[in-house]
Amino acid sequence: MAERSFVEEVKKLRLGAGEVFSGEGILAVTKALLESGVSYVAGYQGAPISHLMDVLADAQDILSDHGIRFENSASEATAAATLAASVNYPLRGAVTFKATVGTNVASDALANLASGGVLGGALIIVGEDYGEGSSIMQERSHAFAMKSQMWLLDPRPNLPCIVQAVKDGFDLSEASSTPVMLQLRIRACHVHGQFVASDNKRASFTIKQALARPQRDVNRIVLPPASFMHEKEKIEQRWPAAVRFIKERQLNEFFSEHDDDVGLVVQGGSYNTLIRALNKLGLADVYGESKVPLYVMNVAYPLIDDEFERFCQGKRAILVLEEGQPNFVEQNVADILRRLQSPTVLHGKDLLPLAGEYNTATMLAGVKAFLQRYGKVEADPKERKVIPLQPVSAEASAELAANVHARPPGFCTGCPERPIFTAMKLVERELGPHHVTADIGCHLFSILPPFNIGATTMGYGLGAASAAAFNTPGAKRAISVMGDGGFWHNGLTSGIANAVFNRSDNLTIVVDNSYTSATGGQDILSSTALNPTRSTGHAIEKAVRGVGVEWVHRVQRTYDLKTMMATLREALTTKETGPKVLIAQSECMLNKQRREKPQVRKAVAAGERVVRERFGVDPDTCTGDHSCIRLSGCPSLTIKPNPDPLRTDPIAAVQDSCVGCGLCGEVSHAAVLCPSFYRAEIITNPTRMDKFRKRLSGLVIGWLQGRDARRREQLAF
Amino acid sequence: MQEIKNIQQPIKIAILAMGGEGGGVLADWIVDLGEHHGWYAQTTSVPGVAQRTGATIYYVELLPPAPAHEKRKPVLALMPMPGDVDVVLCSELMEAGRAVQRGLVTPDRTTLLTSTHRVYSIAEKAAMGDGRVDVDVLLKHAEKAAKRLVSFDMAQAAEETGSVISAVLFGALCGTGVVPFSREQFEQTIERGGVGVKPSLKAFARGCGEAMGQGAPKAEAAAEALPNPKSPAVAQLLDRVGKAFDEKSGRLVREGVRRLIDYQDIPYASLYLDRLESLQRRTGGMDPVLTGEVARHLALWMSYEDTIRVADLKTRGSRFDRVQGEVRAKQEQQVHINEFMHPRIEEICETLPSGLGRWLSKPHFIHRMIARMTTEGRVIRTSSLPGFMLLWTLSRWRAGRRTTLRYELENQRIERWFGKILALAHAHPALALEVARLQRLVKGYGDTHARGLGNYETLMGFLEKHETQIAPATLGELREAALASEDGQKLRFALQRMAFN
């Protein structure tokens, strides 16, 4: 069950021609896929295209209406390999994954796919951004497009353009027998907007037809001599075909082309930002009417030489606004202009920073510098045109900086992964620190305070693999952490099986919370949920034993700190050789709450006895040391001013958002902290027995408490 | 190049929020408000991070319909530019500081609306002492940076109206009048949303009212009630306070007396006054700061947290009521309270009369047996009769507290510490003050207490060894270093750096 339900929004996918679609960018992409007549869609979740996968999962009835096969791929490589269906058959297919991290994993399949080429349109939708929304912000799928010679689209970030890019992408792919990548920036995926829908299209050729009459063509297989031919094909046929198509369909756009003798070149994805920068310079209005000639590349790769020749015609200089390093586009443009012996001067990274996101302020500075150099704007702009950025005194900004802390993401309230790291911290006190390799997933938040655990993260599912070198007789064992998502993504083979084969002695902790929680709580093989369209319930333990691990321990309730610590201690000290695998199981609390809350509400309404648990801290016994917070970090465990007039340190406090996971109590027991924690059980609809007991004990307790209170009252002042 | 004159601009709104605070809902409301009335509205964000307690920015642009441009669609930005934002909405005060830091708030145009409540960062929460940032600094910079600042405790407003902060912010946005829609149009947006409409509207009204300056008048700070003792013995103690101390330190001394009567009895509070009076005599009453700090720390030390004290506090009727309120139990619900206790052999020995306790703490058969029985923590249900009686009976042992091993140990420590303060008070009051403050290290229970005490002993030993050459500030620095890291590394480094080892 995914974090967000799109059941309501999915209805928009049935809109017909002429109706107005209003919603998020990623939903519009899904609609565009249906309008393009795809036969299959696959992908691996990850922000921002997680939502696309979730939309598809919630839209399975629509997909089956249209005979579309939808796959939750095991990895990006699986997703990319799925596109093999378009090699021999006129089947349109799309796959989706997150950013360069996904492209990296998929690159083997993508290289082979691009080599043989496709018959049916093959679209790779990559949720990718440069900067804030990216996981490895300096890397770009652009490089993969270049090396494998796939075409890369980067449309302007508004819904009509994005939808059109999907459709153009399929046509371009078919026209040039080449897979096409569609890069969607994170804010574009989540942008709210509108477009006029078309009717959904059913593919004329079906998967069933393909299976009924299998086709093969040895020339499409990447093996000599065919592979030599592919290289030639790419250069001699597919590339020219793509260039022709891009020109004819006018995928790239020219604005105010002849309005001046300087011009700006930008990728579609950065267009809105550029327009805002020009707007601030007084050179464009809010409708995009620009005084400066613009060449907008909705196709980021390949570059179209003719179009550059056309744009540079009569221009003294152009500025290429390209995020990232190396500056692939700028280098390519330099090459084009040089061959043309064009007198137009090329600017780019000489006027803009080499690294970092090109936000509006950065673009503004770069464009202004460019225009000033050619006398297009005054060297010293008038007061009102200056960005009203107040020069803040160093002292003031330092004072503010000291009082504004970074707020990185962390474990949720009641997260079952937190106790694993608490246990590691506590065991560390006994056995000393160990080398810990981390993985990708929620558990990676352990590298941040308060846990500060984990030395490297090499990639999704590679936690165990990245401890491979740390095997030496008689040395302390290295610890690897891996989530269930990473485990099934590739951790089982690259980490566990590899450790078995190479006789590793290390410990791998597999965090099994029943979902790929970091990407939004999707189901995977080992999920315990009953999923009507997927096969779940395949235990990680069976897989681990299946590849030959002997030492496998399972902790079925991670909140049980004592067992967690004992198992860790055992794993790190046992004389037994060979890889150790500790499977730490507890359901993701976000999902659990989402699952249980409606049930509880129903039970309460039906008058059933329901017990809610939550923790609390007694302010008069808490001394404000905050050990509990350092060992937990739960968002609902916080601090508040000390009500004691004699004390100054803030005390710990539990917010009402507490879900009563029990860790606070376990920690105070295991670490011998303090007696301040209490667990309250709040009983709704108490039974007769409950009421009777309460009355009985209340009589005695109330009498004693009343007596004591009166005594204290006597001495009060 | 000819500049375009009078470029129409969208209204630019940035929302800074953390996960689960409804920043997305707020952005959607604003978009719906605009679109419903024919405006162009665009919103976007970088979610994913926000869902997991991280801070994030939602960005909205609103553009009125322009008849002249009916066919053309506006090109709106997807991220805010520093210096180019009309409205910044913050769900929490540090986020407002972040908005200012990022340059999103500028005095020429930005209306800043922020809640003044704090959601503490992990660095603030995890500090061993007080790691909270300065709220006044945040407010000062918010005020300085904004054209107009609307700030109040929106968490409280949300709490009181049974709604969420986003609804209060939406109301405050309406109240500031920076977006040209009527209150009715705002409220209809909430109604169209259809989820939790009633409480949302209530919270909206609160926010709107506050922003329009119609907030409920602030209650006057209650004047400190004059002490009104019922017991003549207490009156006598208070009399002594009035005679020996000035107004400011007297207030703290009175709190100390109150604490120690509550902790033990009148003679114990009298002992407290005896000690403080001897300090007064030493300084001639000329050092109210020292007196105040010693009064505070001495009261805290004399009311050290032993099992008797914990049992006493846990079983009080007022505490039961407090828990009932804190967990927001309704009248018809029942509440049970379960305590997490971990009495170790050390605590058991210390609670016994000193001779017996000392005997038990020696490593013999019975010691080992009891130690084995106490390796695990226990959960005691105070709201049940057996649990309550166990703790209540223990709390009655207060009568014998002065005979316990713990009392003997603590009293020795207090005497040593206080003796040091007395010795330094006249000649070197600044150092005496720092010595007094060392008490801050000794707090908590179990391992925490042992660690703190260890640090304290280290510093006292250090003080005794180097007394003639140590500056008060150095001792203060060492105390802060001891509070800065749990494993004592910072303290070790500090001691090494000062080359005093």
Side-chain angles (χ1 to χ4, degrees):
Chain A
M1 185 181 68
E3 191 163 286
R4 190 172 148 190
S5 166
F6 284 90
V7 173
E8 273 307 303
E9 283 99 328
V10 155
K11 292 173 189 157
K12 294 177 191 165
L13 298 180
R14 292 197 187 271
L15 291 178
E19 290 181 277
V20 173
F21 172 104
S22 173
E24 219 174 326
I26 207 72
L27 195 64
V29 171
T30 321
K31 178 73 172 100
L33 291 176
L34 292 172
E35 293 180 3
S36 304
V38 288
S39 295
Y40 64 95
V41 188
Y44 196 85
Q45 61 270 12
I49 47 76
S50 264
H51 286 177
L52 202 159
M53 297 297 291
D54 297 344
V55 169
L56 291 167
D58 284 337
Q60 303 224 9
D61 54 333
I62 302 174
L63 297 180
S64 58
D65 282 357
H66 289 78
I68 299 168
R69 169 74 182 174
F70 167 53
E71 287 257 322
N72 284 96
S73 308
S75 72
E76 293 84 354
T78 316
T82 308
L83 289 171
S86 295
V87 172
N88 294 303
Y89 306 97
L91 291 167
R92 282 190 166 185
V95 301
T96 181
F97 39 74
K98 174 194 169 73
T100 325
V101 288
T103 317
N104 284 336
V105 174
S107 60
D108 192 10
L110 290 178
N112 287 300
L113 181 75
S115 185
V118 293
L119 181 63
L123 194 65
I124 301 135
I125 302 164
V126 187
E128 176 157 318
D129 210 340
Y130 191 85
E132 197 179 12
S134 178
S135 26
I136 308 180
M137 58 222 357
Q138 77 276 25
E139 294 232 345
R140 294 191 279 165
S141 290
H142 198 125
F144 289 85
M146 287 167 60
K147 86 169 178 65
S148 297
Q149 287 203 6
M150 297 177 286
W151 319 135
L152 178 66
L153 308 184
D154 183 13
R156 291 198 278 137
N158 63 64
L159 263 48
C161 285
I162 292 170
V163 167
Q164 192 54 46
V166 171
K167 296 178 178 176
D168 289 339
F170 280 114
D171 292 343
L172 171 61
S173 174
E174 282 161 5
S176 61
S177 310
T178 304
V180 171
M181 298 175 93
L182 171 64
Q183 172 182 334
L184 278 182
R185 296 173 187 232
I186 190 158
R187 291 185 187 83
C189 286
H190 298 300
V191 74
H192 166 93
Q194 300 175 330
F195 74 94
V196 180
S198 309
D199 285 328
N200 292 341
K201 220 159 74 186
R202 231 187 126 89
S204 49
F205 184 82
T206 65
I207 294 174
K208 205 169 172 182
Q209 282 171 311
L211 287 169
R213 305 189 55 186
Q215 303 286 321
R216 72 184 290 276
D217 177 358
V218 76
N219 286 334
R220 294 296 120 225
I221 298 173
V222 188
L223 200 72
S227 49
F228 297 120
M229 193 179 76
H230 295 163
E231 191 191 6
K232 277 198 161 161
E233 242 178 61
K234 275 182 174 176
I235 306 298
E236 289 167 6
Q237 290 158 33
R238 297 186 216 161
W239 192 335
V243 169
R244 240 182 350 261
F245 181 91
I246 293 163
K247 283 199 301 202
E248 280 168 18
R249 192 63 79 87
Q250 295 176 18
L251 296 187
N252 296 324
E253 297 168 282
F254 295 84
F255 296 97
S256 316
E257 192 184 347
H258 304 295
D259 282 15
D260 216 309
D261 61 358
V262 294
L264 305 173
V265 179
V266 71
Q267 277 175 220
S270 298
Y271 168 80
N272 283 33
T273 311
L274 174 61
I275 289 297
R276 177 55 51 84
L278 288 172
N279 179 300
K280 296 319 298 175
L281 284 167
L283 299 174
D285 70 9
V286 75
Y287 294 94
E289 199 68 53
S290 170
K291 292 272 175 191
V292 191
L294 304 178
Y295 174 49
V296 178
M297 295 163 45
N298 293 313
V299 183
Y301 183 81
L303 267 57
I304 311 299
D305 296 26
D306 297 354
E307 291 185 352
F308 272 95
E309 189 177 3
R310 170 182 151 190
F311 188 64
C312 291
Q313 204 72 248
K315 292 210 172 43
R316 282 199 285 154
I318 60 168
L319 173 68
V320 175
L321 296 146
E322 178 196 10
E323 280 177 317
Q325 183 70 8
N327 49 350
F328 303 128
V329 175
E330 192 182 335
Q331 290 181 27
N332 201 335
V333 175
D335 178 70
I336 294 168
L337 296 185
R338 177 84 181 133
R339 280 173 203 286
L340 290 172
Q341 297 188 341
S342 162
T344 308
V345 181
L346 172 66
H347 293 282
K349 296 281 181 191
D350 54 337
L351 297 176
L352 283 135
L354 291 180
E357 194 171 10
Y358 283 6
N359 54 31
T360 321
T362 310
M363 285 242 190
L364 180 61
V367 170
K368 196 164 79 176
F370 172 69
L371 294 176
Q372 278 174 351
R373 178 169 299 201
Y374 292 91
K376 302 297 174 187
V377 295
E378 291 162 51
D380 192 19
K382 280 174 275 178
E383 198 54 37
R384 65 184 181 88
K385 292 298 173 203
V386 178
I387 333 167
L389 251 182
Q390 291 278 318
V392 189
S393 80
E395 203 180 319
S397 65
E399 185 183 42
L400 189 57
N403 286 281
V404 177
H405 294 169
R407 232 194 269 268
F411 295 109
C412 306
T413 297
C415 175
E417 306 192 9
R418 196 179 295 112
I420 301 171
F421 298 103
T422 306
M424 285 172 77
K425 285 300 255 195
L426 291 173
V427 170
E428 195 177 79
R429 287 184 187 176
E430 302 165 22
L431 304 177
H434 285 70
H435 181 82
V436 180
T437 61
D439 203 296
I440 309 280
C442 295
H443 46 83
L444 187 58
F445 297 143
S446 69
I447 62 166
L448 302 170
F451 295 115
N452 308 307
I453 289 177
T456 54
T457 168
M458 286 290 110
Y460 200 30
L462 295 176
S466 40
F470 295 105
N471 270 293
T472 284
K476 266 203 277 190
R477 284 173 188 147
I479 306 174
S480 306
V481 184
M482 189 192 287
D484 44 358
F487 178 84
W488 292 117
H489 186 267
N490 76 63
L492 174 62
T493 49
S494 73
I496 310 292
N498 178 69
V500 172
F501 189 61
N502 287 294
R503 293 180 181 273
S504 162
D505 197 32
N506 288 334
L507 164 65
T508 303
I509 301 171
V510 182
V511 183
D512 178 9
N513 62 14
S514 296
Y515 310 88
T516 57
S517 298
T519 58
Q522 290 81 5
D523 285 337
I524 36 170
L525 254 92
S526 52
S527 291
T528 46
L530 286 176
N531 186 320
T533 58
R534 297 288 181 258
S535 171
T536 52
H538 306 282
I540 289 175
E541 184 177 0
K542 265 165 82 180
V544 170
R545 289 196 187 279
V547 297
V549 182
E550 302 287 341
W551 197 104
V552 186
H553 282 220
R554 212 149 48 95
V555 176
Q556 280 175 286
R557 211 174 64 84
T558 57
Y559 303 102
D560 180 355
L561 207 50
K562 230 179 81 195
T563 309
M564 197 71 229
M565 285 170 66
T567 318
L568 270 173
R569 204 182 289 122
E570 160 80 11
L572 291 172
T573 54
T574 177
K575 295 266 183 293
E576 209 174 305
T577 54
K580 330 277 179 290
V581 175
L582 195 171
I583 305 167
Q585 299 176 305
S586 274
E587 186 177 1
C588 164
M589 188 53 84
L590 268 187
N591 277 280
K592 188 177 175 192
Q593 291 293 317
R594 208 172 298 122
R595 194 166 58 73
E596 285 186 345
K597 262 189 184 157
Q599 291 171 7
V600 168
R601 263 198 298 273
K602 229 161 106 191
V604 168
E608 288 170 41
R609 181 182 192 270
V610 174
V611 182
R612 178 172 88 93
E613 292 190 349
R614 63 154 280 187
F615 275 72
V617 172
D618 282 314
D620 40 14
T621 52
C622 174
T623 53
D625 168 72
H626 316 139
S627 284
C628 51
I629 292 174
R630 288 192 294 280
L631 284 168
S632 156
C634 182
S636 69
L637 178 59
T638 181
I639 49 174
K640 68 177 184 193
N642 204 322
D644 185 340
L646 293 171
R647 294 186 199 273
T648 53
D649 289 339
I651 52 163
V654 178
Q655 290 173 340
D656 203 45
S657 54
C658 172
V659 293
C661 75
L663 179 62
C664 287
E666 297 273 348
V667 168
S668 63
H669 271 170
V672 197
L673 287 185
C674 80
S676 305
F677 278 104
Y678 65 82
R679 184 183 72 227
E681 290 167 31
I682 302 121
I683 306 172
T684 313
N685 303 322
T687 60
R688 266 210 201 120
M689 194 60 186
D690 284 326
K691 286 178 186 166
F692 173 71
R693 278 211 197 113
K694 189 84 182 172
R695 211 162 346 176
L696 197 66
S697 59
L699 273 177
V700 182
I701 294 174
W703 182 72
L704 287 173
Q705 285 179 337
R707 217 185 55 159
D708 288 347
R710 276 190 298 280
R711 185 187 63 87
R712 279 194 297 271
E713 184 55 35
Q714 277 305 308
L715 297 173
F717 60 88
Chain B
M1 217 172 263
Q2 196 56 44
E3 276 176 25
I4 307 171
K5 302 285 177 213
N6 306 318
I7 299 183
Q8 184 193 15
Q9 290 289 324
I11 299 174
K12 296 153 191 166
I13 304 171
I15 303 166
L16 279 84
M18 279 164 292
E21 288 187 324
V25 174
L26 179 57
D28 288 346
W29 272 337
I30 299 172
V31 167
D32 185 48
L33 173 66
E35 283 189 341
H36 195 79
H37 298 96
W39 287 46
Y40 290 108
Q42 181 178 287
T43 173
T44 189
S45 64
V46 181
V49 180
Q51 285 154 13
R52 288 170 185 80
T53 70
T56 197
I57 297 185
Y58 300 83
Y59 185 57
V60 185
E61 294 202 346
L62 288 172
L63 188 73
H69 297 291
E70 219 162 287
K71 282 272 157 57
R72 294 189 308 164
K73 296 275 181 248
V75 180
L76 301 176
L78 288 91
M79 50 181 127
M81 183 170 85
D84 191 33
V85 184
D86 299 296
V87 186
V88 173
L89 300 148
C90 300
S91 61
E92 191 262 358
L93 191 57
M94 190 186 272
E95 293 313 305
R98 198 183 313 283
V100 173
Q101 198 182 26
R102 287 185 147 207
L104 299 179
V105 184
T106 40
D108 59 320
R109 62 191 292 184
T110 315
T111 302
L112 172 61
L113 299 97
T114 181
S115 177
T116 50
H117 82 286
R118 287 298 330 280
V119 175
Y120 297 106
S121 74
I122 191 71
E124 292 178 286
K125 296 203 294 188
M128 283 169 76
D130 189 353
R132 289 172 297 177
V133 303
D134 190 341
V135 171
D136 295 335
V137 168
L138 292 173
L139 271 173
K140 182 182 83 186
H141 282 276
E143 183 129 49
K144 221 168 74 186
K147 180 180 174 191
R148 180 177 168 202
L149 173 69
V150 174
S151 64
F152 57 94
D153 190 335
M154 299 185 189
Q156 197 190 341
E159 168 86 42
E160 286 166 11
T161 50
S163 185
V164 287
I165 291 176
S166 48
V168 183
L169 270 169
F170 196 51
L173 177 65
C174 174
T176 56
V178 287
V179 183
F181 294 100
S182 69
R183 175 162 179 167
E184 206 181 0
Q185 289 169 326
F186 268 88
E187 289 176 335
Q188 282 162 358
T189 309
I190 294 179
E191 282 160 12
R192 274 196 301 279
V195 184
V197 173
K198 256 192 191 157
S200 291
L201 284 176
K202 246 170 99 183
F204 173 90
R206 257 304 274 285
C208 189
E210 286 275 0
M212 289 169 69
Q214 295 171 350
K218 299 273 180 296
E220 290 285 313
E224 206 189 352
L226 282 174
N228 179 24
K230 293 188 189 68
S231 140
V234 175
Q236 211 180 345
L237 289 179
L238 294 180
D239 227 31
R240 279 171 68 186
V241 177
K243 280 195 187 112
F245 303 94
D246 66 298
E247 180 49 36
K248 209 171 159 204
S249 52
R251 207 174 303 153
L252 275 167
V253 177
R254 261 194 298 276
E255 285 304 329
V257 170
R258 195 196 308 274
R259 167 68 42 92
L260 295 168
I261 293 175
D262 185 74
Y263 181 80
Q264 184 62 26
D265 49 25
I266 289 181
Y268 197 53
S270 179
L271 171 64
Y272 170 71
L273 282 182
D274 292 345
R275 283 174 171 157
L276 284 179
E277 280 163 359
S278 68
L279 175 71
Q280 281 296 78
R281 280 193 296 277
R282 192 62 65 96
T283 61
M286 299 304 287
D287 203 334
V289 176
L290 179 64
T291 310
E293 282 291 270
V294 173
R296 200 160 74 78
H297 289 290
L298 179 62
L300 286 173
W301 202 329
M302 287 179 71
S303 62
Y304 59 88
E305 289 88 8
D306 59 2
T307 49
I308 303 167
R309 175 69 171 165
V310 171
D312 182 11
L313 290 172
K314 290 266 184 192
T315 48
R316 292 185 179 188
S318 53
R319 188 245 174 176
F320 277 40
D321 294 341
R322 193 186 60 230
V323 169
Q324 188 94 15
E326 200 168 292
V327 303
R328 297 172 196 198
K330 297 190 195 88
Q331 205 53 49
E332 65 275 16
Q333 288 174 320
Q334 273 190 11
V335 175
H336 278 291
I337 310 172
N338 304 281
E339 320 291 351
F340 285 78
M341 307 282 208
H342 199 147
R344 303 169 304 167
I345 178 110
E346 289 90 336
E347 276 83 30
I348 294 172
C349 294
E350 287 174 351
T351 310
L352 293 171
S354 55
L356 189 58
R358 202 163 278 128
W359 170 78
L360 185 61
S361 60
K362 292 199 182 99
H364 46 64
F365 172 68
I366 297 177
H367 172 97
R368 280 196 298 276
M369 199 175 74
I370 295 180
R372 243 200 313 280
M373 277 159 52
T374 55
T375 50
E376 279 177 33
R378 280 168 210 285
V379 178
I380 295 164
R381 180 175 281 220
T382 341
S383 54
S384 77
L385 212 43
F388 180 84
M389 287 317 292
L390 177 74
L391 290 186
W392 186 82
T393 313
L394 178 58
S395 76
R396 294 296 92 180
W397 180 233
R398 189 178 61 222
R401 180 183 265 145
R402 282 188 185 83
T403 69
T404 63
L405 178 59
R406 178 78 187 267
Y407 181 85
E408 194 185 296
L409 291 172
E410 293 293 350
N411 203 42
Q412 280 167 8
R413 287 177 196 136
I414 292 170
E415 297 271 320
R416 177 181 170 213
W417 168 75
F418 191 69
K420 192 93 232 163
I421 296 171
L422 272 189
L424 291 166
H426 182 67
H428 205 339
L431 190 57
L433 184 65
E434 288 304 331
V435 173
R437 285 177 176 157
L438 286 183
Q439 186 273 334
R440 200 171 149 212
L441 297 178
V442 189
K443 62 180 175 182
Y445 308 79
D447 290 350
T448 310
H449 183 264
R451 187 188 65 228
L453 189 62
N455 284 341
Y456 164 81
E457 299 281 359
T458 305
L459 292 192
M460 276 303 261
F462 167 74
L463 174 72
E464 273 156 13
K465 205 164 142 197
H466 303 284
E467 195 177 308
T468 50
Q469 4 164 344
I470 187 168
T474 310
L475 194 57
E477 261 174 58
L478 289 171
R479 185 192 66 232
E480 291 304 320
L483 281 171
S485 73
E486 206 162 359
D487 54 8
Q489 208 167 24
K490 291 253 167 70
L491 178 59
R492 271 197 302 282
F493 285 162
L495 284 169
Q496 275 165 17
R497 198 180 59 238
M498 294 173 186
F500 273 133
N501 247 0

